[in-house]
Every structure is written in C-alpha cells, then in structure tokens.
Amino acid sequence: MSTIAEFRIPATDLALADAFDRIPDLTVQLESSISRTVPSMWIAGDEPPAVSEALAADDSVAGAELLIETPERLLYDVEPTPETRTRFDRLLEADATVLDATGRSGWWQLEMRFPDRNALAATHDRLDEAGTAIEIVRVSQLGGRPTAHPRLTPEQREALVAAFEHGYFEIPRRTSMEELADELGISHQALSERLRRAYETLVDAELQPAGEYAP
C-alpha cells in the first residue's frame, strides 16, 4: 500500500543553503510540473534583483531564470548543479514521487509518496548513509483515514494564525482586515487572497470522504 511521508531536511543537505543565509525571509515552494527537466520554484522574501543575486551566488544552483513576477512572489526556473541533482535523485530512487516541497529558514519540508513503507525505509537508510540529516514528521497510508495536515503555504498559515491571535474570527471582531494587513506588512488585497485560499484548502480537506486521501 502506498505510503505518504512528510519530513524535514536541512538546506545544507539538499539545496539553496546559501540563498537562505543571504535572505533570512526567503520562502521557496516547488512548482508542480509535468515532463520538465528543470524544476520551477515560487520564491518570496525579497525583491527580484536580490533573489536573482542570491541564486547566482548559491553553490547548489547552476543557473536560474526569472519567468513570472507577481506582487507577492517570483517564479524561477532553477537548474541544479550535478551534485544537487544527485541529492534529489537519492529521494526518488525507490520510485518515490514528490507531492510538495517547501523551503524556509534553512530547512526543506517535503511531502512524498512511496510505493510502500519498505521503500520509505530504504530511502531513509540511503539518505542516512549519505550523511543527510532527515527528520520524519508524519507517515500515513494512502487509503487510510488522512492524518496529515492540509497543505497550507507558509504565508497562508501565517495569515490564519495572525487572524486568530488578533481576534479577527471573534464576534464582534477585535481587528479589521486593514489592521491585520498592516500587522503582517502586506496589502489588504494580498491578505484577503491568502485567507480565501487558506479557507479553500481547509474546506477541501474537511470535505474529503473518510478513508480517502487526496495528495
């Protein structure tokens, strides 16, 4: 039975460690794509010139091209060096599939699907033998009742936590959307979009039929 695993790996053992050091607020999310040899990554945390400079100076990156620029984040094609590609290949040797990968504060959080628990164990042992520090966060069986949390982005999670802590969901509200946006240092429109997408993710997870898991 397929196994879903969430785990953390230090960026020093995977990719973009230098970039995370140069830009402390850097957030990176792997873009889902089909039949691509160069991974695309959504990156936030600084202006395009600073991000491009950080990627160019990172030892794990062979090349990077800015594809899309939005007010909140940037989409880059990021070409890994051969050594970095080898590190990723170790993750995939057991016919594993990366469902989600997010980098922040010098760590990568990954969600992956393995053919079974033996394949997960083999991958863990292979990474351990290579000297990669791996911290398993959660393991669940595909087809069992979901135990993993919905895949909120770090920005969505931050917005929800701030809204809860500042009483945005209370009746009457203790803060307004404008005040909450100022607290987070983003626009009213950006906050509204983050909360809307977070609501959609949470509702979708809640309405999944029991016994099913939607990666």
Side-chain angles (χ1 to χ4, degrees), residues 166-175:
H166 288 79
Y168 180 75
F169 298 121
E170 296 180 10
I171 301 176
R173 287 175 174 166
R174 290 194 288 110
T175 190

Side-chain angles (χ1 to χ4, degrees), residues 25 29 32-33 39 44 58 81 92 102 112 114 118 127 134 139 148-149 151 155 158-160 167 177 179 201 207 209:
D25 293 333
Q29 185 162 32
S32 298
S33 59
D58 194 293
T81 62
L92 305 175
T102 301
M112 298 184 62
F114 296 86
N118 289 334
L127 293 174
I134 177 172
V139 176
H149 58 74
R151 286 182 289 160
E155 293 81 6
E158 178 187 42
L160 284 175
M177 179 76 75
E179 291 170 333
T201 298
L207 294 181

Side-chain angles (χ1 to χ4, degrees), residues 51-126:
V51 173
S52 295
E53 182 179 346
L55 293 175
D58 194 293
D59 291 339
S60 68
V61 176
E65 179 185 0
L66 178 60
L67 303 178
I68 298 174
E69 180 178 346
T70 75
E72 289 193 11
R73 56 183 186 166
L74 313 165
L75 181 64
Y76 280 85
D77 267 353
V78 180
E79 174 68 30
T81 62
E83 180 181 357
T84 305
R85 189 175 293 278
T86 297
R87 295 172 182 172
F88 277 100
D89 286 344
R90 291 193 189 105
L91 293 170
L92 305 175
E93 284 184 21
D95 293 327
T97 301
V98 177
L99 302 178
D100 188 52
T102 301
R104 191 178 192 184
S105 301
W107 286 84
W108 282 94
Q109 180 102 8
L110 295 102
E111 181 179 11
M112 298 184 62
R113 180 173 59 235
F114 296 86
D116 50 39
R117 285 182 176 267
N118 289 334
L120 169 59
T123 298
H124 180 279
D125 292 345
R126 185 165 50 251

Side-chain angles (χ1 to χ4, degrees), residues 172-193:
R173 287 175 174 166
R174 290 194 288 110
T175 190
S176 66
M177 179 76 75
E178 291 78 7
E179 291 170 333
L180 193 58
D182 288 342
E183 180 71 23
L184 293 172
I186 59 177
S187 68
H188 174 280
Q189 181 179 357
L191 176 59
S192 177
E193 179 67 11

